[in-house]
């Protein structure tokens, strides 16, 4: 039974990989890698149509990077608080409440972003009166990846031998110096692994991003302007895509698949270093 389960998982992964490569690679070869990956225009109704996904790649990297930075800072300080400063009776309830965030559907996060974050940015932050964009999507994703960062970081901090912390205190370090100077560096491999996992979650998120990002396929670095990520581009247009248009969307999935593969390989390397 275990062998069949393992083989099924491997077969599913192999099937998805083969489908993406067979359906996406020919389009990339036909269009040209440079034109597809570095093209600045996504205009399927033009004659001839343009299938450049550089705006989506850049938007995906912007949103992922900003959300991971925000989520890591908030999650890391939350885990340190639960580990050392929070009363022991409150640690478990608070951790369970944070973990509940992982069970909330992404569409609910998107709805929260549309009704709360976007209006706030539109009315109090944005100079052009638009709340949809990179910043809104990043804030929503930062909350979504929070459980991953907090859970993995807290486990990593708890795995550090208590003698490290107690020894630092015995040598005259303050509580904060012992935590940030000794315990956190000792747990850096596990914390980094949690950040990598959170990056994979942010990179592949779709529904919440669609609802708050603005969905405009353009190249911009303005955090308060609408953008479209690769996942959003696939979901928004796959329902009516045919011919080369459909092949272009599948090829976009190939690029996204490569990104996710890089993230997973990075996590595997970090995990091996931690075990070593």
């Amino acid at each position: 039974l275990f062998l069949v389960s393992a083989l099924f998982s491997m077969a599913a992964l192999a099937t998805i990989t083969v489908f993406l490569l067979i359906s996406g690679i020919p389009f990339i070869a036909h269009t040209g890698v440079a034109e597809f990956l570095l093209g600045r225009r996504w205009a399927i109704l033009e004659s001839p149509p343009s299938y450049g996904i550089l705006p989506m790649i850049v938007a995906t990297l912007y949103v992922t990077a900003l959300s991971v930075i925000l989520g890591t800072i908030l999650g890391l300080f939350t885990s340190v608080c639960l580990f050392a400063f929070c009363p022991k009776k409150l640690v478990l309830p608070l951790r369970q409440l944070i973990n509940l965030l992982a069970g909330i559907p992404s569409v609910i996060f998107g709805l929260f972003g549309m009704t709360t974050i976007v209006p706030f940015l539109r009315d109090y932050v944005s100079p052009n009166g638009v709340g949809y964009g990179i910043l809104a999507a990043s804030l929503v994703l930062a909350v979504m990846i929070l459980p991953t960062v907090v859970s993995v970081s807290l486990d990593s901090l708890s795995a550090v031998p208590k003698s490290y912390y107690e020894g630092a205190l015995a040598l005259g370090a303050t509580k904060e110096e012992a935590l940030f100077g000794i315990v956190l560096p000792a747990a850096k491999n596990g914390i980094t692994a949690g950040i990598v996992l959170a990056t994979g979650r942010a990179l592949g998120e779709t529904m919440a991003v669609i609802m708050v990002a603005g969905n405009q396929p353009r190249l911009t670095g303005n955090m308060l302007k609408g953008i479209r990520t690769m996942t959003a581009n696939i979901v928004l247009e796959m329902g009516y895509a045919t011919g080369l248009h459909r092949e272009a969307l599948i090829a976009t999935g190939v690029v996204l698949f490569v990104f996710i593969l890089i993230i997973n390989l990075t996590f595997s390397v970090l995990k091996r270093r931690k075990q070593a």
Side-chain angles (χ1 to χ4, degrees):
L1 180 60
F2 295 147
L3 178 61
V4 171
S5 299
L7 292 176
F8 176 80
S9 300
M10 295 174 61
L13 177 60
T15 302
I16 294 173
T17 304
V18 171
F19 166 76
L20 287 175
L21 294 179
I22 292 178
S23 304
I25 295 299
F27 175 84
I28 297 176
H30 172 74
T31 305
V33 176
E35 183 177 349
F36 181 63
L37 296 181
L38 302 180
R40 294 172 173 262
R41 287 182 56 79
W42 178 270
I44 61 173
L45 298 179
E46 289 185 354
S47 182
S50 300
Y51 296 108
I53 64 170
L54 182 62
M56 276 75 81
I57 293 177
V58 173
T60 301
L61 295 178
Y62 271 148
V63 171
T64 302
L66 184 57
S67 64
V68 170
I69 291 173
L70 295 175
T72 297
I73 294 174
L74 183 58
L76 188 56
F77 278 96
T78 301
S79 61
V80 170
C81 176
L82 294 176
F83 176 74
F85 298 101
C86 184
K88 298 300 180 182
K89 294 182 179 180
L90 297 179
V91 172
L92 184 60
L94 290 176
R95 184 171 184 176
Q96 294 300 326
L97 288 175
I98 294 173
N99 288 337
L100 284 176
L101 290 174
I104 298 177
S106 59
V107 67
I108 302 300
F109 284 103
L111 184 63
F112 171 76
M114 289 182 63
T115 57
T116 305
I117 295 178
V118 170
F120 176 81
L121 295 177
R122 179 192 63 209
D123 297 336
Y124 300 103
V125 178
S126 177
N128 54 11
V130 178
Y132 295 96
I134 297 174
L135 184 57
S138 300
L139 291 174
V140 172
L141 284 180
V143 178
M144 295 182 67
I145 66 176
L146 192 61
T148 301
V149 177
V150 173
S151 180
V152 177
S153 298
L154 187 56
D155 289 339
S156 301
L157 292 172
S158 301
V160 176
K162 292 184 179 180
S163 58
Y164 287 23
Y165 177 72
E166 295 171 350
L169 294 179
L171 291 173
T174 63
K175 187 175 183 180
E176 291 77 12
E177 291 172 343
L179 283 171
F180 292 98
I182 303 297
V183 179
L184 273 179
K188 64 180 180 180
N189 287 338
I191 294 174
T192 304
I195 295 173
V196 172
L197 287 175
T199 303
R201 171 76 190 277
L203 189 64
E205 180 53 45
T206 306
M207 183 55 66
V209 175
I210 289 177
M211 298 175 71
V212 298
N215 303 316
Q216 300 173 27
R218 60 182 175 185
L219 191 62
T220 178
N222 191 332
M223 292 191 298
L224 296 172
K225 285 187 176 181
I227 47 88
R228 180 185 292 185
T229 62
M230 288 188 288
T231 54
N233 191 51
I234 296 171
V235 171
L236 288 171
E237 300 189 6
M238 183 58 76
Y240 60 87
T242 58
L244 287 177
H245 183 197
R246 183 175 184 274
E247 294 180 8
L249 294 177
I250 297 176
T252 305
V254 173
V255 177
L256 184 63
F257 182 77
V258 172
F259 281 9
I260 297 295
L261 183 61
I262 293 174
I263 295 295
N264 290 335
L265 290 176
T266 303
F267 173 69
S268 299
V269 172
L270 294 174
K271 188 175 181 181
R272 290 181 180 178
R273 288 183 179 179
K274 180 182 178 182
Q275 291 175 349

